[in-house]
Amino acid sequence: MAAADRFETRVQSLDSAIPSDSLLSEAVRLLRAGQLVAFPTETVYGLGANALDSVAVRRIFAAKGRPPTNPLIVHVADWKMLTRVVADWPTAAARLAQAFWPGPLTLVLPKSDAVSTEVTADGPTVAVRWPAHAIAASLIRLAGVPLAAPSANRSTELSPTRAEHVLASLGGRIELILDGGPTSAGIESTVVDLAGEVPILLRPGPISIAELERVIGTVRARSTNVIGPARSPGQMDRHYAPRTPVELVSRAECDERVRELRRAGEDVGLLAIGESGTPGAIVLPADAAEYASRLYAALHELDSQRLSRIVIERPPDSAEWLAVVDRLTRAVGNR
Ligand code: TXA
Ligand code: MG
């Protein structure tokens, strides 16, 4: 990184329910000047830049160390902004937006010419989302432009659900972090591709397939329609991953697995569901949505303990755990 790109990263605390417009003025000034600002959304913290400014968008890729082939989500806060970024607005998009926006749902649609080609990795489509978080919504509205924002972490690392996570990952690389406390959903938005004939789920998330299908009928899962590796590169194998090696182990076996590894001299942490007989385990709730809201904070915590290994109890094989299992599988990844 060039010396000119080094920043003293400032963290500004805001009331996440009613952020005052005047406290957002510095963030707005930076965004209008083509700089980067990290901000909370209801899913994870995003690293925002003006989506209509190629130079600003390139700064996102540089700060994250993200390959330019991996496109970004554009965040809007009103219908006028939406019409500036998409070239087509099919009925299915209108129905989903009506049901779930503002909220943790991203729609992939044909892009307009206004969106910088860096945002979409030169592709013909743009991923767009209208976030519900009050800070995100106010920031976009005051900036007056749509914001390109990936999760505010270095590429392939865990997504941030707290301002401290952003600072640990991107401190020195960005100017400002807006701290609105922990995010509520805790995992990244559901991504649905509406640019083709059939809606395709590209990334499971807080809005489930069942909820989508109630509104637009059949949604195809990505695995049954292989369209090539670059279609949604967030689907690369190792992603959302802690630095510590991770193992997914069935409920029946995980206490014994931890005992066995500890006997062999390893320093092992356990992430359990509902309850655990293992000393020192982090126990998350047995409700999938509550588990998701706390998952990344738990993984960040375990990752900071300098363990030799993290054992994670495998969640049940049912639909409501789909998004969590997706993230855990990627945390294990291929190394
Ligand atoms: O919840 C979220 O979605 C968060 C917050 C900040 O909004 N953002 C987020 O962004 O997770 P990111 O960049 O970490 O993940 C975006 C995902 C990636 O898997 C990317 O490949 C996919 O969306 N994506 C973006 N544009 C796309 C496009 N035009 N076609 C297909 N996939 C796209
Ligand atoms: Mg990400």
Side-chain angles (χ1 to χ4, degrees):
M1 189 165 50
D5 295 333
R6 279 251 148 231
F7 296 103
E8 176 112 25
T9 303
R10 279 164 298 146
V11 180
Q12 186 188 351
S13 292
L14 292 169
D15 183 335
S16 67
I18 27 164
S20 92
D21 285 5
S22 62
L23 285 177
L24 286 168
S25 62
E26 175 62 2
V28 168
R29 186 190 68 74
L30 288 167
L31 289 169
R32 291 214 183 121
Q35 294 295 339
L36 307 180
V37 174
F39 61 93
T41 81
E42 68 276 31
T43 57
V44 299
Y45 276 70
L47 180 59
N50 179 353
L52 312 179
D53 176 346
S54 312
V55 177
V57 171
R58 268 185 239 132
R59 289 202 171 102
I60 292 181
F61 286 91
K64 277 182 66 88
R66 180 169 174 127
T69 48
N70 190 358
L72 308 176
I73 295 175
V74 173
H75 298 70
V76 298
D78 61 44
W79 297 108
K80 196 158 157 252
M81 251 184 227
L82 175 75
T83 57
R84 281 176 85 181
V85 301
V86 302
D88 188 24
W89 186 243
T91 313
R95 293 212 174 111
L96 289 176
Q98 163 89 30
F100 301 113
W101 277 1
L105 176 67
T106 298
L107 304 177
V108 172
L109 293 162
K111 79 181 269 294
S112 77
D113 292 340
V115 178
S116 106
T117 55
E118 280 78 3
V119 170
T120 62
D122 272 332
T125 59
V126 62
V128 61
R129 169 158 113 80
W130 182 333
H133 197 288
I135 293 177
S138 297
L139 184 66
I140 301 164
R141 181 174 50 78
L142 293 169
V145 287
L147 297 184
S151 53
N153 52 278
R154 295 276 292 162
S155 189
T156 78
E157 288 182 357
L158 286 173
S159 291
T161 57
R162 296 165 188 258
E164 314 74 285
H165 302 154
V166 182
L167 187 63
S169 188
L170 293 174
R173 295 175 182 271
I174 62 176
E175 286 216 51
L176 181 64
I177 301 169
L178 299 178
D179 182 354
T183 64
S184 55
I187 54 170
E188 305 80 357
S189 62
T190 304
V191 181
V192 183
D193 186 349
L194 295 176
E197 308 239 304
V198 218
I200 300 169
L201 181 77
L202 295 179
R203 181 173 71 185
I207 311 267
S208 69
I209 296 198
E211 288 174 286
L212 298 171
E213 290 192 328
R214 242 174 265 140
V215 178
I216 55 166
T218 308
V219 174
R220 205 180 282 168
R222 191 184 46 95
S223 55
T224 61
N225 182 305
V226 177
I227 3 179
R231 188 70 189 202
S232 196
Q235 307 303 335
M236 288 177 302
D237 260 339
R238 203 175 119 69
H239 211 89
Y240 314 117
R243 296 194 179 93
T244 316
V246 178
E247 271 179 28
L248 260 183
V249 179
S250 73
R251 180 178 188 84
E253 290 163 50
C254 68
D255 287 334
E256 178 48 32
R257 177 66 180 150
V258 173
R259 270 198 298 276
E260 171 188 274
L261 289 166
R262 285 181 177 167
R263 271 197 305 269
E266 283 212 38
D267 220 347
V268 185
L270 173 65
L271 185 60
I273 304 173
E275 59 186 343
S276 173
T278 293
I282 293 185
V283 180
L284 293 185
D287 173 84
E290 283 175 41
Y291 180 104
S293 86
R294 289 162 57 181
L295 171 62
Y296 286 138
L299 290 177
H300 278 285
E301 165 64 24
L302 286 163
D303 210 20
S304 71
Q305 291 175 7
R306 304 190 171 278
L307 303 162
S308 60
R309 202 184 302 244
I310 299 169
V311 172
I312 300 180
E313 176 180 335
R314 186 187 295 281
D317 205 8
S318 58
E320 67 266 32
W321 288 91
L322 182 69
V324 163
V325 169
D326 172 80
R327 302 310 187 278
L328 293 178
T329 310
R330 287 170 210 296
V332 177
N334 294 329
R335 23 179 113 216

